[in-house]
Amino acid sequence: MKVYKSKRDWIYGSLFLGISLLFVIIIVSAYFDMPFSEWLIMAIILSGINTLLLIGFFFVKIRIDSEDLVVNVIFDIFRVSIFKITKIRIGETMWSGFHKCGTSVGGLIVFSKFKNDLYITPEDREEFLNKLLEINSHIIIDDVRVKKASRTSA
């Protein structure tokens, strides 16, 4: 079993920091406008949402578990057989994919036969792709970055 950490970048980190600061501003400003019991309920809800977002950001792990690709955030949230993976697209943004488990831009979209697509951002992309291709050599690798570069140079 091989575990890959999810790559993090400043764009995604800034997004989470902005959301956290927005929640703090809402909690502090609402303290003066509403009764303490309502404020406490709102503070607990916003703090819970913020905690879930931060846990999702810092604890995403991608694992190749025998013949399965597994995404884990404290517990397994996505699992697909590597033999059902048909194509992997390289160089997509974090706004691509149905299951968004990546924590940076320029990740991978994994397409499989029976599941929706998965967006991930393993730190060591080349090692990750080589390991998947060792298990299933029929996976098509589609590098979007190469296509974009050839379109702009033409």
Side-chain angles (χ1 to χ4, degrees):
M1 175 171 65
K2 177 69 176 166
V3 176
Y4 299 88
K5 289 182 181 178
S6 187
K7 180 175 67 170
R8 293 177 202 82
D9 66 11
W10 68 272
I11 295 172
Y12 220 104
S14 300
L15 182 68
F16 280 119
L17 180 63
I19 290 170
S20 298
L21 290 175
L22 178 66
F23 285 166
V24 168
I25 290 168
I26 291 170
I27 291 171
V28 169
S29 64
Y31 179 75
F32 301 107
D33 294 336
M34 58 177 54
F36 182 76
S37 60
E38 292 176 12
W39 175 84
L40 185 62
I41 291 170
M42 184 190 69
I44 289 170
I45 291 171
L46 289 178
S47 298
I49 292 170
N50 194 40
T51 301
L52 290 175
L53 288 173
L54 291 174
I55 286 172
F57 182 68
F58 286 108
F59 294 105
V60 173
K61 291 189 180 85
I62 304 149
R63 179 172 90 230
I64 296 176
D65 191 6
S66 117
E67 296 177 348
D68 287 340
L69 174 63
V70 180
V71 178
N72 181 291
V73 180
I74 299 178
F75 57 90
D76 294 349
I77 59 171
F78 187 89
R79 178 181 292 266
V80 65
S81 170
I82 294 173
F83 292 106
K84 293 185 180 173
I85 295 174
T86 56
K87 180 169 81 168
I88 296 177
R89 189 177 297 150
I90 301 173
E92 290 288 342
T93 67
M94 66 181 162
W95 309 116
S96 303
F98 184 74
H99 297 282
K100 293 170 180 52
C101 301
T103 54
S104 72
V105 295
L108 307 172
I109 296 186
V110 179
F111 297 92
S112 62
K113 291 180 182 175
F114 302 111
K115 295 231 180 205
N116 290 316
D117 46 339
L118 165 70
Y119 178 76
I120 54 176
T121 54
E123 276 187 342
D124 191 350
R125 181 186 313 171
E126 296 305 318
E127 180 186 338
F128 177 77
L129 290 172
N130 289 336
K131 184 70 174 168
L132 288 178
L133 289 171
E134 279 178 21
I135 298 170
N136 181 1
S137 61
H138 299 291
I139 297 173
I140 298 168
I141 306 296
D142 182 20
D143 195 342
V144 176
R145 299 169 303 169
V146 173
K147 290 178 185 177
K148 287 180 184 176
S150 65
R151 275 189 264 152
T152 57
S153 65

